[in-house]
Amino acid sequence: MSDVHTERVLVVPTELFRRLGYFQGFCGDIERYLTELFDARHASYRPRGEVEQDPGFKQLIPYVIFRHVDPQGRESVFQYTRGKGMGEGRLHSKRSVGIGGHISLCDADAGPSNHPYEEGMRRELEEEVQID
């Protein structure tokens, strides 16, 4: 069995997300969502292979966008085109402006912050990019 099927990822019931205020894309209203989404009464770690096909759950995905300002003050945002070798097929050859991924069970107690969202973000960055 592949790691995707056995990996346990952090999810919340879709109904909770709808009750709090369903959105797609970016929402900066952190206070409205954060406490409820990470409340142990709602959040659980479930097999990734199951929840990726189950509309009854939403996966919580940390996502980091890199912005650079050069010496002349010009801003740019890191972007790349996703490869076809790994990950979700629907994302192959699509452009992305950030790095992110699932929060796994290994992120639950790891690291200095002891917060699974922050630890998942750190792990994904370590796996995906080198920052000098």
Side-chain angles (χ1 to χ4, degrees), residues 21-42:
Y22 193 86
F23 67 90
Q24 290 195 358
F26 175 79
C27 176
D29 191 1
I30 297 166
E31 298 304 318
R32 181 176 185 179
Y33 296 92
L34 203 58
T35 302
E36 287 287 316
L37 291 178
F38 287 101
D39 187 314
R41 294 176 297 155
H42 309 299

Side-chain angles (χ1 to χ4, degrees), residues 4-118:
V4 169
H5 290 288
T6 59
E7 178 187 18
R8 298 180 73 79
V9 297
L10 187 61
V11 297
V12 295
T14 301
E15 183 52 42
L16 171 66
F17 192 48
R18 292 194 186 286
R19 183 169 49 83
L20 293 172
Y22 193 86
F23 67 90
Q24 290 195 358
F26 175 79
C27 176
D29 191 1
I30 297 166
E31 298 304 318
R32 181 176 185 179
Y33 296 92
L34 203 58
T35 302
E36 287 287 316
L37 291 178
F38 287 101
D39 187 314
R41 294 176 297 155
H42 309 299
S44 61
Y45 291 89
R46 296 180 181 256
R48 180 176 170 186
E50 292 176 17
V51 296
E52 288 197 339
Q53 304 300 320
D54 187 345
F57 293 97
K58 290 291 182 189
Q59 299 173 54
L60 302 178
I61 308 288
Y63 201 74
V64 178
I65 298 174
F66 296 98
R67 180 178 65 104
H68 176 262
V69 180
D70 71 17
Q72 290 75 38
R74 295 179 296 225
E75 294 184 38
S76 59
V77 174
F78 168 79
Q79 63 84 30
Y80 65 102
T81 302
R82 292 174 178 266
K84 295 180 182 179
M86 297 182 67
E88 297 178 45
R90 66 184 177 85
L91 300 176
H92 291 174
S93 301
K94 302 284 185 187
R95 291 190 116 175
S96 183
V97 295
I99 303 294
H102 301 86
I103 300 171
S104 296
L105 187 56
C106 67
D107 302 316
D109 300 317
S113 77
N114 205 29
H115 194 284
Y117 192 88
E118 290 179 24

